Amino acid sequence: MRILSGIQPTGRFHWGNYFGAIRQYIELQGERENAFYFIANLHALTTVRNRQTLLQNTLDAALDFLALGLDPNRATLFVQSDVPEVSELCWLLTTGAPMGLLERCHAYKDKKAKGLSADAGLFNYPVLMAADILAYDSDIVPVGEDQVQHIEVARDLAGSFNHEFGETLVLPKAKLLDASARVPGVDGEKMSKSYGNTLDIFEEPKSLRKQIMRIVTDSRPMDQPKEPGTDPLFQLYSLFAADDACEAMAEKYRRGGFGYGEVKKALADASVDYFAEARARRVEFAAHEDRVREILGDGAAVARKKAAEVLRRAQQACGVWQ
Ligand code: ADP
Ligand code: TRP
């Protein structure tokens, strides 16, 4: 059984990416052959249009994954574009992809609805994503809710390919990542790069503390009791603090008579501690970039072997190979 997922290197990873996705990928690793994770630089190219930025983001994403605990002996980590077979499979799938299906996909649809002009890369994005999944005979694809539609597209495209050319591609299933892990940003809305409200995993502790101090809180007087469950600051604290510390903090909220500054300080301390080990590992990996490139190279070799096998099967099925 193969688990596969990808994440776009569009900027520094934030707490939302960690608790909503990366941590869960890492928990799901097991056997090298069975857990494939890749850095989706070809997808990022639809938005990141600067060579140096894309190269740097891709390397940063690899460093972040490794620092956060992705173990190259228990998972295969690679860069999407290092497996050119995927782009070829993408074409085979594109030839049978209904326009209507792609027009309904939200990334394209939302952009059009805003009256913005979209390019063919964005339109085709779900087909490339289908190729990413199908190229490795993936069974399970852990993703956030926003990506479930794309897994359906992958299933549809695989189903119709099989229908036209005979059983060739494995139909994948989405595994919805824990939705309760929806992490709020400094403004209380969902944390997202596009809202500019992120707290980044590897932000320098000093600057992180400053950003934490800016988290929005309500203006009720200090001594009034407050409900912890609905407070974004408390939600963030509970991601990092141990159960008993969390319970003690919740109690303080309910009693009232505390300042939010105190909670912010506790959050800053807890989050800096939480990522301290990962931060040290990242420094170590960053100092050995050649080792990181070797890991990505090894990962690509494992992934390519599988993708070449699936591509050949698909080529034979549709008649572009003997
Ligand atoms: P962003 O919104 O910052 O551009 P992405 O869309 O690249 O983030 O998200 C990559 C992964 O991280 C996805 O699987 C997504 O579900 C998860 N993720 C992003 N933001 C959050 C959040 N605030 N809470 C939980 N998960 C998140
Ligand atoms: N589109 C996904 C995202 O933006 C990233 C991605 C690309 C992906 N290819 C994939 C995720 C294949 C899962 C499987 O989050």
Side-chain angles (χ1 to χ4, degrees):
M1 201 183 53
R2 177 166 293 113
I3 294 175
L4 166 134
S5 202
I7 195 160
Q8 295 195 44
T10 45
R12 298 313 306 272
F13 291 141
H14 52 73
W15 292 358
N17 298 141
Y18 180 70
F19 291 102
I22 298 171
R23 182 173 76 166
Q24 301 178 58
Y25 297 162
I26 288 168
E27 278 166 8
L28 288 168
Q29 65 188 357
E31 307 248 329
R32 201 168 175 216
E33 280 287 331
N34 295 346
F36 277 22
Y37 296 122
F38 67 92
I39 301 162
N41 60 342
L42 293 174
H43 276 105
L45 194 54
T46 63
T47 51
V48 181
R49 308 293 295 173
N50 177 288
R51 168 193 152 78
Q52 206 43 49
T53 309
L54 188 55
L55 286 170
Q56 187 62 51
N57 285 357
T58 306
L59 178 64
D60 277 333
L63 289 170
D64 289 358
F65 262 114
L66 293 167
L68 290 167
L70 187 132
D71 175 354
N73 295 315
R74 297 202 297 136
T76 298
L77 177 68
F78 60 100
V79 176
Q80 186 181 30
S81 61
D82 284 346
V83 187
E85 286 78 5
V86 166
S87 298
E88 199 163 339
L89 182 64
C90 180
W91 178 253
L92 301 187
L93 297 169
T94 302
T95 56
M99 293 292 284
L101 178 71
L102 301 184
E103 277 161 1
R104 285 193 298 277
C105 284
H106 61 72
Y108 173 76
K109 200 170 135 188
D110 294 353
K111 199 156 184 186
K112 285 288 281 189
K114 285 189 191 135
L116 300 169
S117 70
D119 52 40
L122 186 69
F123 186 69
N124 254 328
Y125 167 132
V127 189
L128 178 60
M129 185 159 158
D132 284 328
I133 296 169
L134 302 173
Y136 308 108
D137 285 342
S138 311
D139 301 290
I140 305 285
V141 188
V143 283
E145 201 162 7
D146 57 323
Q147 298 296 321
V148 172
Q149 182 184 40
H150 297 147
I151 314 298
E152 285 307 312
V153 170
R155 284 179 69 86
D156 278 6
L157 296 181
S160 42
F161 190 96
N162 290 350
H163 184 71
E164 280 188 285
F165 301 116
E167 274 315 301
T168 312
L169 301 169
V170 173
L171 265 56
K173 278 202 184 70
K175 175 182 161 60
L176 197 58
L177 293 171
D178 183 2
S180 64
R182 182 181 178 281
V183 178
V186 291
D187 56 359
E189 299 300 315
K190 179 185 177 205
M191 188 178 287
S192 171
K193 273 185 298 277
S194 35
Y195 302 152
N197 63 358
T198 61
L199 295 163
D200 295 346
I201 303 172
F202 292 110
E203 186 64 61
E204 275 310 312
K206 222 170 135 187
S207 135
L208 180 70
R209 283 177 191 277
K210 273 200 200 132
Q211 293 174 22
I212 288 176
M213 289 305 158
R214 288 202 288 267
I215 295 176
V216 290
T217 48
D218 65 40
S219 52
R220 276 178 300 175
M222 228 170 110
D223 53 353
Q224 241 179 47
K226 299 174 181 78
E227 171 49 41
T230 52
D231 179 39
L233 183 59
F234 180 81
Q235 285 167 24
L236 289 171
Y237 179 71
S238 59
L239 293 170
F240 298 103
D243 289 352
D244 49 348
C246 225
E247 197 31 59
M249 183 66 85
E251 210 25 62
K252 248 188 205 181
Y253 266 70
R254 292 187 202 105
R255 258 199 328 264
F258 69 99
Y260 284 119
E262 189 187 325
V263 189
K264 288 178 177 175
K265 178 159 186 321
L267 170 62
D269 291 344
S271 61
V272 168
D273 274 2
Y274 189 93
F275 288 124
E277 235 175 81
R279 189 182 304 280
R281 267 203 303 265
R282 197 181 192 287
V283 171
E284 188 64 20
F285 275 116
H288 297 96
E289 207 180 295
D290 46 343
R291 171 75 191 118
V292 175
R293 297 202 183 278
E294 193 179 296
I295 291 170
L296 293 174
D298 290 350
V302 173
R304 264 196 101 165
K305 187 158 172 280
K306 183 66 200 172
E309 177 197 313
V310 176
L311 175 64
R312 186 46 49 86
R313 223 159 65 206
Q315 288 172 320
Q316 279 172 338
C318 69
V320 296
W321 191 266
Q322 264 306 321

